[in-house]
């Protein structure tokens, strides 16, 4: 028998079938892209590749020994810059990052932290700044993220947390971060936030060609309106401040004139009343004199 006949098998109903398709391979109709989509996994994000706990994540014990042996501030800054992988192309951002790491290291030295605490705090502050800028967090949300990261390294509860910092360490770290990082939080965000400047330019119509001039249509007399009655032109016919002041003075003067006339009328009536009283008084005096003289003569 030929090779094709050897590979064929006879079924119970008398029909012959060829060899079965090997299992474990994609279908013959599948494309290369389909195969790749099923087998390739999504690339993990940088934040997903971080270790769960941050002690010795960026700075090892040997690195801290080199930093402690440095004699000048410039050497300490340079070593911290290399250990914390400060590779910002912008010089301003690189200087800001280096200053932040240097001040964090100085705080650890002031509290006499051992190497594992120093390494953990340096990494916590580094990731805090990266996540705050990446997620554009508000100060309250960034502080909550800082607390969660700090408490994850302050309680011995494997595998969820580890006891690197004590309770007193947490209190001093929170106070330090509040007076340093979070006091200048918006400056950090502004310095590391990516700014995009959009420049809009209006091009000339028709590629720079001069558009056709439209001739004005003649206007009839019926279409004309009184400009003083148009609200769009009211500001052109509005009196100036000097004219308004003069009109106000005239109004005040006109209001005072009737008062002067009234005062003169009252004065005139008072004078007339006083004159009438004086005449009556003189008549009474004259009558009394006559009566007194009559009594003397009698």
């Amino acid at each position: 028998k030929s090779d094709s006949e050897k590979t064929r098998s006879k079924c119970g109903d008398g029909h012959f079938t060829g060899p079965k398709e090997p299992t474990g391979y994609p279908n013959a109709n599948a494309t290369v892209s389909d195969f790749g989509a099923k087998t390739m996994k999504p690339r993990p994000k940088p934040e997903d590749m971080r270790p769960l706990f941050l002690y010795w994540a960026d700075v090892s014990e040997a690195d801290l020994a080199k930093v402690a042996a440095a004699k000048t501030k410039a050497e300490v800054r340079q070593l911290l810059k290399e250990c914390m992988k400060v590779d910002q192309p912008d010089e301003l951002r690189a200087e800001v990052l280096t200053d932040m790491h240097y001040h964090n290291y100085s705080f650890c030295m002031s509290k006499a932290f051992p190497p594992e605490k120093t390494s953990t705090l340096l990494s916590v502050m580094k990731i805090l700044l990266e996540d705050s800028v990446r997620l554009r967090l508000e100060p309250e949300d960034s502080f909550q993220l800082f607390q969660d990261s700090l408490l994850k390294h302050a309680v011995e509860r494997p595998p969820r947390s580890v006891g690197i910092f004590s309770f007193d360490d947490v209190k001093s770290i929170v106070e330090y971060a509040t007076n340093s990082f979070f006091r200048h939080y918006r400056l950090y965000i502004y310095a590391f936030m990516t700014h995009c400047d959009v420049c809009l330019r209006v091009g000339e119509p028709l590629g720079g060609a001069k558009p056709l001039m439209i001739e004005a249509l003649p206007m009839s007399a019926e279409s004309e309106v009184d400009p003083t009655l148009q609200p769009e032109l009211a500001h052109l016919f509005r009196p100036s401040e000097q004219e308004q002041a003069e009109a106000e003075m005239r109004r005040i003067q006109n209001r005072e004139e009737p008062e002067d006339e009234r005062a003169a009328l009252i004065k005139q009536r008072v004078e007339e009343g006083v004159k009438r009283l004086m005449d009556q008084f003189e008549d009474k005096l004259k009558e009394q004199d006559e009566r007194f003289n009559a009594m003397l003569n009698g």
Side-chain angles (χ1 to χ4, degrees):
K1 296 182 180 180
S2 60
D3 296 336
S4 60
E5 293 177 350
K6 292 180 180 180
T7 57
R8 299 169 64 186
S9 60
K10 187 175 182 181
C11 297
D13 55 356
H15 293 84
F16 290 91
T17 60
K20 295 182 179 180
E21 183 179 359
T23 60
Y25 294 93
N27 192 353
N29 297 326
T31 61
V32 176
S33 60
D34 295 336
F35 179 75
K38 295 179 180 179
T39 57
M40 294 182 62
K41 296 181 179 180
R43 181 177 298 178
K45 299 179 181 179
E47 56 270 17
D48 297 334
M49 300 175 62
R50 295 170 181 167
L52 180 61
F53 303 117
L54 300 178
Y55 57 93
W56 316 128
D58 296 292
V59 186
S60 63
E61 188 172 2
D63 294 333
L64 289 176
K66 293 180 182 180
V67 175
K71 298 180 180 180
T72 63
K73 177 180 177 180
E75 293 180 3
V76 174
R77 287 169 55 89
Q78 183 61 31
L79 290 173
L80 288 175
K81 185 176 180 180
E82 295 174 358
C83 295
M84 303 303 292
K85 301 177 180 61
V86 179
D87 54 355
Q88 295 286 339
D90 189 354
E91 294 183 1
L92 175 62
R93 294 183 177 182
E95 286 296 322
V96 172
L97 269 180
T98 306
D99 285 342
M100 187 187 74
H101 296 320
Y102 175 77
H103 289 299
N104 294 337
Y105 176 77
S106 299
F107 168 75
C108 294
M109 293 299 99
S110 65
K111 296 297 181 180
F113 280 175
E116 61 271 12
K117 293 184 180 182
T118 303
S119 175
T120 304
L121 181 59
L122 290 174
S123 298
V124 166
M125 298 303 295
K126 173 186 175 182
I127 291 179
L128 175 64
L129 178 59
E130 292 177 355
D131 289 349
S132 298
V133 174
R134 178 175 57 86
L135 300 175
R136 298 175 180 264
L137 298 179
E138 292 295 325
E140 297 80 7
D141 299 330
S142 179
F143 186 76
Q144 184 62 44
L145 180 65
F146 168 69
Q147 284 185 322
D148 295 341
S149 180
L150 195 60
L151 291 177
K152 189 170 66 173
H153 297 83
V155 179
E156 188 66 34
R157 193 177 59 179
R160 299 181 180 273
S161 60
V162 61
I164 300 294
F165 300 113
S166 63
F167 178 74
D168 294 334
D169 295 338
V170 172
K171 289 176 57 179
S172 60
I173 292 172
V174 170
E175 182 179 0
Y176 163 73
T178 303
N179 295 327
S180 58
F181 178 79
F182 290 103
R183 182 181 295 273
H184 309 289
Y185 179 80
R186 296 195 181 277
L187 292 178
Y188 280 109
I189 297 300
Y190 179 81
F192 288 93
M193 191 67 68
T194 302
H195 301 277
C196 297
D197 297 330
V198 179
C199 180
L200 299 178
R201 184 174 60 86
V202 179
E204 297 181 356
L206 302 178
K210 184 178 180 180
L212 298 177
M213 298 298 295
I214 301 177
E215 297 182 359
L217 298 176
M219 181 179 293
S220 60
E222 293 79 7
S223 301
E224 295 183 3
V225 295
D226 187 1
T228 59
L229 302 178
Q230 305 305 313
E232 296 83 359
L233 304 177
H235 64 283
L236 299 177
F237 303 98
R238 187 178 301 145
S240 62
E241 295 181 358
Q242 183 178 359
E243 294 176 350
Q244 292 179 0
E246 293 177 354
E248 184 66 20
M249 290 298 297
R250 289 194 298 269
R251 188 181 64 82
I252 294 174
Q253 292 176 359
N254 295 333
R255 188 179 60 183
E256 290 177 352
E257 287 179 357
E259 294 181 358
D260 295 339
E261 295 177 357
R262 190 182 302 109
L265 181 61
I266 294 174
K267 183 178 180 181
Q268 181 181 358
R269 292 183 178 180
V270 169
E271 291 177 353
E272 292 177 354
V274 172
K275 184 179 179 180
R276 187 167 52 255
L277 290 175
M278 291 298 295
D279 294 340
Q280 292 177 0
F281 182 70
E282 289 179 357
D283 293 341
K284 289 183 179 180
L285 287 178
K286 189 174 180 180
E287 182 181 355
Q288 289 180 0
D289 290 340
E290 292 178 353
R291 191 180 328 69
F292 182 72
N293 291 328
M295 292 175 62
L296 290 176
N297 294 329

